[in-house]
Amino acid sequence: MASLATVRDALLISRYQNIIDDVEFALLYDESSSRLTFPYSKFERFDIDAWDESECRTELRFGKQDLDLLRRNLQIPDEIVCSQRSVCDGMEAMCILLKRLAYPCRYTDMVPRFGRNPTELCLIFNEVLDFIYTSHRHRLQNWDRNPFLQPDQLHRYADAIHQQGTPLNNCFGFVDGTVRGIARPKYNQRVMYNGYKRVHSIKFQSVVTPNGLIANLAGWFEGKRHDSTMLHESGLLTDLRRVAFYNGDPLCLYGDPAYPLGVHLQAPFKGNNITPQMALYNKAMINLSPVGKMYVVCALLENAQTCLYGNQVSQMFGIDPPLLNDYFAW
């Protein structure tokens, strides 16, 4: 991939050889001078062997010994070829993705780690992001094929939640909407504005189960959408009415007061005239509720991390998450 410095040198040669005139040279050189030349070439190229365990856990959120296992389960190919023909090793490409998603950073912040120019890092990131999204998003959207959302598993989750002292004995998970802030868009600002959070945003609806996994994820939705609207448009209730049963008895999710009450969806009592028993019910339940494309991939990586290391939710309910190989097997 030609650098800005190479382009500028080529323009100088072209002008010296009268291939372009003064006006053309001035316009082209000015265009290529709109950004500073980042000295990425002075940094060494990526070498995972040079990273120690603490660096991997801090910057990538995964242990060094688990990276190859993660790459194989994500089915990332040995070589990634970008649209403009940049070539990148599969492990490096995955690490670029993990580094970018682990904590907010600019591509220029990643240059010292990977020895590539920011444009190339962006292209590689988007290539891997598209690959994982296309290959694995069904794991967050398909109820029928998901082995961890079958009736016997849902019943097991409900038992684990009930054993924590909750009034409901058929609640197998928790549903909630989440707001992710975005930069103010040039168009459709009112559609993307969330009045409650007072921020332009996109929203997602997630279902969390006691094994610590994000079992189902719907979105994205416009920032102004209410949680009950997302519930309707996501088709979650339709799926619950079809699959959320154990031996003929209905199972349910628990959400916040924004959700409508139903057989398969429970929420806290609301209003000013709740009884002491209702207040105790609300307290018992709420104490347990764990509350575009990049977010979906982040959710998949979060599930992968849970499979490898567990989390507070799985520890609290005493249900181990599946092995990483099992999670990515279906």
Side-chain angles (χ1 to χ4, degrees), residues 4-271:
L4 287 175
T6 303
V7 172
R8 292 165 190 169
D9 290 343
L11 289 173
L12 289 170
I13 295 172
S14 298
R15 179 65 196 97
Y16 178 77
Q17 296 178 348
N18 292 320
I19 298 175
I20 57 177
D21 59 28
D22 289 340
V23 175
E24 292 172 327
F25 171 79
L27 290 173
L28 292 172
Y29 194 87
D30 183 65
E31 180 66 24
S32 67
S33 301
S34 60
R35 292 181 295 170
L36 295 175
T37 302
F38 199 93
Y40 65 91
S41 57
K42 74 177 184 180
F43 299 105
E44 294 185 5
R45 297 299 286 265
F46 172 82
D47 180 8
I48 191 59
D49 293 331
W51 292 49
D52 62 30
E53 177 69 17
S54 62
E55 289 175 316
C56 291
R57 290 300 296 266
T58 301
E59 298 189 38
L60 306 179
R61 303 287 178 89
F62 287 89
K64 184 175 181 178
Q65 74 280 4
D66 298 317
L67 290 175
D68 188 60
L69 177 64
L70 178 64
R71 187 187 69 82
R72 285 187 277 111
N73 277 280
L74 290 173
Q75 302 171 20
I76 295 175
D78 294 333
E79 189 175 82
I80 297 292
V81 181
C82 300
S83 57
Q84 47 46 284
R85 311 311 296 171
S86 286
V87 179
C88 181
D89 174 76
M91 176 61 76
E92 180 184 3
M94 185 186 73
C95 290
I96 289 172
L97 177 89
L98 295 178
K99 171 69 175 175
R100 175 71 168 159
L101 296 179
Y103 190 80
C105 65
R106 300 172 299 173
Y107 289 112
T108 51
D109 300 327
M110 299 167 57
V111 170
R113 274 305 199 182
F114 297 95
R116 292 178 182 268
N117 70 67
T119 300
E120 200 172 11
L121 289 171
C122 178
L123 290 167
I124 295 169
F125 171 83
N126 285 322
E127 196 73 29
V128 182
L129 184 77
D130 288 341
F131 177 84
I132 296 177
Y133 179 82
T134 303
S135 303
H136 300 288
R137 63 183 174 185
H138 67 277
R139 305 184 194 284
L140 298 172
Q141 298 171 350
N142 192 303
W143 282 81
D144 297 310
R145 293 176 53 196
N146 193 330
F148 312 111
L149 291 177
Q150 299 308 304
D152 57 334
Q153 292 291 324
L154 300 185
H155 177 65
R156 180 173 171 235
Y157 301 155
D159 283 345
I161 293 174
H162 185 56
Q163 288 172 11
Q164 292 293 319
T166 62
L168 294 174
N169 61 4
N170 67 335
C171 173
F172 69 88
F174 305 92
V175 60
D176 200 5
T178 182
V179 178
R180 309 303 298 181
I182 61 173
R184 185 177 65 180
K186 184 175 181 180
Y187 305 105
N188 301 317
Q189 292 184 15
R190 291 190 177 185
V191 174
M192 306 307 293
Y193 188 75
N194 183 279
Y196 180 71
K197 297 289 187 179
R198 297 188 177 184
V199 65
H200 292 91
S201 62
I202 56 177
K203 297 185 70 175
F204 294 84
Q205 174 186 273
S206 58
V207 173
V208 176
T209 47
N211 60 0
L213 295 183
I214 300 172
N216 184 263
L217 183 70
W220 60 273
F221 300 93
E222 300 92 336
K224 74 170 188 177
R225 295 291 183 184
H226 192 271
D227 285 358
S228 59
T229 303
M230 291 195 299
L231 177 70
H232 172 73
E233 294 186 358
S234 69
L236 176 61
L237 277 181
T238 302
D239 288 330
L240 292 175
R241 291 166 183 154
R242 183 169 48 84
V243 302
F245 292 92
Y246 181 74
N247 291 337
D249 296 322
L251 302 172
C252 71
L253 292 171
Y254 187 81
D256 61 33
Y259 292 101
L261 292 174
V263 174
H264 295 286
L265 186 60
Q266 295 294 306
F269 291 102
K270 50 188 174 181

